[in-house]
Amino acid sequence: MSRLKFGIFMPPFNSPASQNATSSLQRNVETIKLLDELGYDEAWVGEHHSAGTEIIAEPIQFITYVGALTKHIKLGPGVVSIPYHNPLWVADRIILADHLLRGRVMLGLGPGSLPTDAAMIGLEPSQLRPALEHDTGVVLDLIRGDKPVTVTTDRYKLVGARCQLAPYSDPCFEVAVAAATSPAGARLAGRYGLGMLSIGALITGELDLLNRHWDVVEEEAAKYGQVADRRRWRLVAWIHLAETKQKAIENVRYGLDAFVEYTQKTLALPTIRARGATFEERVQFYLDSNNAVIGTPDEAVAFLKRLDEQSGGFGCFLQVANDWADWDATKKSYELFARHVIPHFQPSQARLLGSEAWAQSRHSELDAANAAAIQAWTDKFKK
């Protein structure tokens, strides 16, 4: 059995916007520290600049800070909005983070999901995906450092550019590209042999789109002589767990309405817009979808097994970090997932259960023999 990896995708959704931003950021930090302690594998942190809820503007700076407070978990910007930046500075910053975190860095690339971000720097939504398609190769050339990079676009100019540091990771840290509903990310993942973060397809519940995206990855990989590796494919969905389904539903009464209002009235991103006007309608929207579990660990296990079958296999599952429930219930959800869901998809559980079954099969025999041996030794030394 191959080891499925687990982590979170943290935009972060700190809704509502009226709450204390400093404490929200601290809660984001504490979330990743908790996941590190619970044995999660990775955390991806988004870049956003507007709309009041997704408040981490520089994810590489953020993960470098969090990296100093954690020991094992891998961290990556998920994603750097490439059209907003000069590729040289993106490459330089992630290489620096790779050194500071001693190889625990990943790099996620994407077009930028909030049109309000792009509007503030004069970019139209129609410019973003073509910019990502062009600049991904530029960023990779700069990171790899095989030759100086000279390129001119309408957004920047590089003249013999090079990164003065080589990556700490050997041969390099993992690079993944975001795939939402368009095939743009899948095309790049296949062309350059990158990992893929399937954000939009699963969040919208369009499971057929997952397979179409992977078909594109394989087609592009074959065309450019790359390897399409499902172990580098990450799927993203909504999870909140409690000991009972009813308790999980009551937990999300805390913050689900605020989040849905954000998707319906503030966030100009149709791909994650939730439906419903009341709490009951909104919960039902997620319960009826293919993209969420609000329930028990057993339901999460069944969901992931179904997802594995429907997708044809993937390498990592990421929960969307959010404020649907209060902090205590959210921490409990992550703990329940780590204790009772993750083991079903990793080799150790089968060995543990096998060892338990073997011990039970010999229990009567060995229990009697051990009791007899203890009694015989005790009798030998009786006065």
Side-chain angles (χ1 to χ4, degrees), residues 130 142 247 330 372:
L142 289 163
K247 185 174 182 180
T330 299

Side-chain angles (χ1 to χ4, degrees), residues 208-219:
D208 289 342
L209 188 56
L210 289 175
N211 295 316
R212 293 200 296 273
H213 275 180
W214 190 254
D215 289 344
V216 171
V217 172
E218 291 185 331
E219 290 167 7

Side-chain angles (χ1 to χ4, degrees), residues 308-358:
D308 182 62
E309 181 180 348
Q310 291 174 325
S311 69
F314 57 96
C316 182
F317 176 76
L318 305 174
Q319 302 179 51
V320 183
N322 56 67
D323 284 350
W324 286 6
D326 69 25
W327 180 225
D328 286 338
T330 299
K331 289 188 291 184
K332 184 65 174 180
S333 177
Y334 286 129
E335 181 187 355
L336 288 170
F337 192 94
R339 291 185 63 193
H340 302 299
V341 180
I342 289 177
H344 282 266
F345 304 92
Q346 297 185 338
S348 287
Q349 186 186 71
R351 292 195 181 192
L352 290 169
L353 292 176
S355 180
E356 180 186 57
W358 175 79

Side-chain angles (χ1 to χ4, degrees), residues 154-202:
D154 58 355
R155 291 171 292 110
Y156 64 86
K157 181 177 182 178
L158 297 178
V159 182
R162 65 190 77 198
C163 295
Q164 60 182 349
L165 282 177
Y168 174 88
S169 300
D170 184 19
C172 190
F173 43 80
E174 172 147 21
V175 180
V177 63
T181 52
S182 81
R187 283 165 46 88
L188 292 171
R191 181 184 309 175
Y192 294 108
L194 306 178
M196 184 166 67
L197 287 158
S198 284
I199 300 168
L202 195 55

